[in-house]
Amino acid sequence: MPSVRFLFKAFLILGIITVAGGCGVKPNASKENIYFEELSTEVQNAYNNDQSVLLFSFHKNTQNSEAYADWAEYLNNFSSNPNSDFHLFKISKEDKNYLSIPENNFTVFLKKEHPTYFYSGLIVEPQVYTAVKKQYSKENLSEMDRSFLPQPLCSLNSQSLRMKSHCSNGQ
Amino acid sequence: MTTFIKLKRGDNDASKVWGGNTQKNPPSYLVKDLQEDLKSAGTFITETNGIFGPQTEKSLKLFQWVCANMTHCLKNKNHHIRTKTANILIDGSLNLNTYNELLKWIKENNEVTGDLIRINFSDLSNIEASPNYKKVSSSKVSKEELVISKSAKKLITDINTKAKNLSITIKVNQAFRANKIKLSGTVVTPAKKSQHLIGHAIDCNIVDGGNWNNSSSFKNKTETEGAKSIITALKDKNYRWGGDFTPTDIPHFDLKLDHTKFSYEAKFFLNQRMISLNHEVRKENI
């Protein structure tokens, strides 16, 4: 008959194996947001609550440029517009590295069950924000609006964007 | 007996330092008097303290720059045309010419203002406000008007003429831009230097036969011939095109004023103050 000490050891080892095995498995995230589960909690919360999300990045060396001046102006105007329901986040270094985005200046627009848009460079035209906002709120887009929509992520050629892995899952 | 002393940086009423030296008798015109007069003229915007420091020096230099360069001021709060002051040294110290000019301004109740003008879009055959056009936040300006520095008026007329010749339309997003400090709602720090902040730049899209030439068009090299032609024509006139900048700023033309020069600093101060204090912005006909 096994001793109490032996039983205790057996349960302990089983427990350790279970926990260790679990570490290699990602949580039960849907395929839709397979890249998204690694992003910061507040970004995930906004996304999971069906909010429109805007992630942006800029290099500090651009701050004396005219492009930065225009980009900051239009982004701040968009952010402070009372009709804007977007949640804006400056992407963290960790998130940028995780997503394997090779650029310093970019914007990503996300909304659950909508196309993800990746804009390479600084957005210097306010119409870009208007076009994505209309698209995410299912408003009709004019020809002019359509000409300002950024490329959907899944149509981009870049292989270094880890977010692209998401495209094969149905987007 | 009191005398006029050329006041300069480092002078201090409390320490009895005037003209760079400790004086037994105070001059007829103290540092505090200078600060009060500059405040009335509109270039000294902090508390008077009798210390001739960098702020006083800059305020005095601004006043001297206005005297030498500006053909407008406010008289009793109304717009007034003036003659530029000849032979005034822009050095930030109180020479006799500056002193006499400052006394004249105080006597005539004059105040500095900027050189912004407003142009009604209806006066421009081929320039229109884009659907995203944001008017300057001043009750003196309507949403049908574009605001620009008087010195950059030719940029607008040249764009309009070229656009007319090429049968294209220019859709404006913004021209002069009020400087913003970081307030709630802003997510990034606004730029401290830009040609928009002095009224020397315009952000616009070139609409050619229904095609909006935007950043994507230029990135994909699908811009129209009309867009290429107007950019070339304006560059030939020495205006800058944002497509040549790093990083690129595609829908942008400007008449560059070097931001390391004092004239940029003066224009920035005057034009931003003009809007924040709701000064009259003169309407210009084309």
Side-chain angles (χ1 to χ4, degrees):
Chain A
M1 188 179 165
S3 68
V4 174
R5 178 174 284 188
F6 173 78
L7 282 174
F8 177 75
K9 270 188 179 175
F11 277 115
L12 187 66
I13 289 165
L14 190 64
I16 289 170
I17 289 168
T18 307
V19 170
C23 288
V25 178
K26 290 191 170 187
N28 286 329
S30 68
K31 284 181 181 176
E32 185 186 72
N33 60 3
I34 195 159
Y35 63 88
F36 205 72
E37 65 198 24
E38 299 292 339
L39 297 180
S40 60
T41 313
E42 53 181 357
V43 177
Q44 285 189 58
N45 287 344
Y47 182 85
N48 289 330
N49 288 329
D50 293 331
Q51 303 292 322
S52 303
V53 174
L54 185 158
L55 302 174
F56 64 89
S57 168
F58 69 98
H59 196 278
K60 62 180 181 182
N61 287 355
T62 65
Q63 279 184 300
N64 290 325
S65 67
E66 283 293 339
Y68 175 89
D70 288 349
W71 172 74
E73 168 75 5
Y74 298 130
L75 181 63
N76 285 332
N77 285 349
F78 180 65
S79 157
S80 57
N81 185 331
N83 295 324
S84 172
D85 54 356
F86 273 69
H87 289 250
L88 280 69
F89 302 96
K90 183 177 186 295
I91 199 162
S92 67
K93 202 173 179 179
E94 292 74 25
D95 287 351
K96 185 174 173 289
N97 289 340
Y98 171 73
L99 296 172
S100 303
I101 299 174
E103 300 172 44
N104 290 315
N105 302 320
F106 64 86
T107 304
V108 180
F109 298 92
L110 304 147
K111 190 174 182 183
K112 213 186 236 182
E113 295 175 3
H114 288 77
T116 298
Y117 294 106
F118 182 83
Y119 190 100
S120 169
L122 298 171
I123 296 175
V124 290
E125 292 158 314
Q127 292 94 334
V128 176
Y129 299 113
T130 308
V132 178
K133 184 179 182 300
K134 282 186 175 179
Q135 181 78 346
Y136 281 2
S137 53
K138 296 193 179 353
E139 287 176 55
N140 288 331
L141 273 77
S142 65
E143 276 304 305
M144 186 271 284
D145 293 326
R146 288 186 196 286
S147 72
F148 283 94
L149 262 186
Q151 273 192 285
L153 178 74
C154 296
S155 69
L156 294 174
N157 291 323
S158 175
Q159 297 301 312
S160 51
L161 294 171
R162 187 168 294 177
M163 289 184 290
K164 285 273 291 176
S165 61
H166 156 67
C167 298
S168 58
N169 293 318
Q171 189 180 321
Chain B
M1 182 185 158
T2 58
T3 52
F4 171 79
I5 289 178
K6 184 179 172 181
L7 298 174
K8 60 183 184 180
R9 186 161 170 175
D11 288 356
N12 187 320
D13 291 344
S15 309
K16 298 189 173 182
V17 176
W18 296 290
N21 299 309
T22 305
Q23 309 278 346
K24 198 174 173 183
N25 297 314
S28 55
Y29 195 71
L30 302 172
V31 175
K32 197 165 183 192
D33 298 326
L34 170 65
Q35 290 174 332
E36 279 167 3
D37 286 346
L38 289 172
K39 202 165 194 167
S40 298
T43 63
F44 191 78
I45 51 172
T46 53
E47 288 302 309
T48 57
N49 58 8
I51 301 168
F52 199 130
Q55 190 58 53
T56 308
E57 184 180 53
K58 185 183 164 187
S59 306
L60 186 52
K61 212 171 161 185
L62 277 169
F63 175 74
Q64 292 168 325
W65 188 91
V66 168
C67 293
N69 293 285
M70 296 292 281
T71 54
H72 299 90
C73 67
L74 297 180
K75 185 189 272 294
N76 299 316
K77 305 288 177 193
N78 294 314
H79 185 255
H80 175 71
I81 296 171
R82 63 177 294 274
T83 309
K84 290 179 188 176
T85 315
N87 304 322
I88 195 158
L89 196 62
I90 306 169
D91 67 349
S93 65
L94 188 70
N95 51 60
L96 197 55
N97 267 1
T98 306
Y99 171 72
N100 288 332
E101 186 68 22
L102 186 54
L103 292 193
K104 191 175 150 201
W105 276 59
I106 301 305
K107 190 179 168 191
E108 295 177 357
N109 204 13
N110 290 350
E111 187 183 340
V112 299
T113 191
D115 77 338
L116 295 176
I117 54 167
R118 57 197 164 94
I119 300 170
N120 200 302
F121 282 109
S122 64
D123 290 343
L124 300 161
S125 59
N126 290 62
I127 301 181
E128 297 172 4
S130 88
N132 289 73
Y133 180 70
K134 197 175 174 219
K135 91 166 190 81
V136 170
S137 54
S138 160
S139 65
K140 312 285 186 192
V141 178
S142 83
K143 64 178 181 180
E144 288 83 27
E145 291 172 323
L146 174 154
V147 173
I148 197 117
S149 160
K150 167 97 176 166
S151 354
K153 179 183 170 186
K154 198 162 183 311
L155 167 67
I156 301 299
T157 54
D158 282 344
I159 291 176
N160 193 51
T161 306
K162 294 291 170 195
K164 191 175 178 182
N165 293 344
L166 293 162
S167 300
I168 56 181
T169 305
I170 302 299
K171 298 275 190 176
V172 179
N173 286 331
Q174 207 172 53
F176 172 77
R177 179 177 298 160
N179 189 33
K180 295 189 183 90
I181 48 168
K182 200 169 178 186
L183 299 169
S184 63
T186 61
V187 286
V188 289
T189 308
K192 292 181 179 67
K193 305 278 184 187
S194 165
Q195 299 299 317
H196 286 284
L197 296 171
I198 58 169
H200 275 227
I202 179 171
D203 283 349
C204 57
N205 289 112
I206 303 161
V207 182
D208 186 0
N211 293 314
W212 280 70
N213 289 280
N214 55 25
S215 293
S216 303
S217 317
F218 287 95
K219 270 183 204 166
N220 301 328
K221 301 195 186 305
T222 56
E223 72 272 26
T224 63
E225 287 305 312
K228 285 178 191 167
S229 299
I230 195 168
I231 291 164
T232 306
L234 292 167
K235 282 167 71 172
D236 286 347
K237 284 188 165 281
N238 293 323
Y239 299 119
R240 297 194 309 168
W241 159 242
D244 296 331
F245 299 170
T246 304
T248 54
D249 187 10
I250 294 294
H252 174 112
F253 290 103
D254 71 34
L255 173 66
K256 187 186 176 189
L257 184 60
D258 187 347
H259 65 70
T260 62
K261 298 277 194 295
F262 188 74
S263 50
Y264 177 94
E265 203 173 338
K267 272 205 140 179
F268 177 89
F269 174 87
L270 295 165
N271 287 350
Q272 290 295 330
R273 183 178 184 275
M274 188 176 182
I275 294 302
S276 64
L277 296 184
N278 215 24
H279 286 178
E280 182 190 343
V281 181
R282 284 177 309 117
K283 185 175 187 313
E284 287 265 332
N285 295 316
I286 302 294

